[in-house]
Amino acid sequence: AYRRHLADHSEDAGIWVQFGHMLKEQGKLDEAAEAYTTATTLAPKDFDAYVHLGHIQMGQKKISVALETFREAAELGAPEEIVSVIEALV
């Protein structure tokens, strides 16, 4: 359903995030990261996709990349818990 929707509404950043969640739950982490990255491109001021992308990057041991992603999320107003994760990594 997400793929069908995005075929006609590729600019729907919120659905890209939801699609990323679904892919992550299926263990398709590279595809999920792509979906979250698309969402960050479409809605660059919304921290939500950055947070989820950072979690995937952490799981893939891409620590320096995840750190930058979490920093971006924090700059966009992510909750304090995200800032705590960033501080723990530094």
Side-chain angles (χ1 to χ4, degrees), residues 6 9-14 16 35-45:
L6 290 169
H9 306 283
S10 61
E11 75 291 344
D12 192 338
W16 278 107
Y36 293 137
T37 299
T38 299
T40 65
T41 300
L42 294 170
K45 296 185 188 255

Side-chain angles (χ1 to χ4, degrees), residues 11-81:
E11 75 291 344
D12 192 338
I15 295 300
W16 278 107
V17 171
Q18 294 304 313
F19 186 42
H21 295 338
M22 187 263 316
L23 291 166
K24 185 170 68 171
E25 290 297 318
Q26 292 179 348
K28 298 177 181 178
L29 300 182
D30 289 336
E31 291 179 57
E34 288 177 27
Y36 293 137
T37 299
T38 299
T40 65
T41 300
L42 294 170
K45 296 185 188 255
D46 184 353
F47 67 81
D48 189 43
Y50 292 93
V51 170
H52 296 291
L53 179 58
H55 288 154
I56 287 177
Q57 293 164 337
M58 289 289 294
Q60 294 174 325
K61 308 294 187 214
K62 298 176 181 176
I63 305 302
S64 62
V65 175
L67 180 57
E68 288 303 315
T69 302
F70 283 134
R71 281 190 178 136
E72 184 71 25
E75 289 173 11
L76 294 170
E80 183 62 33
E81 62 208 36

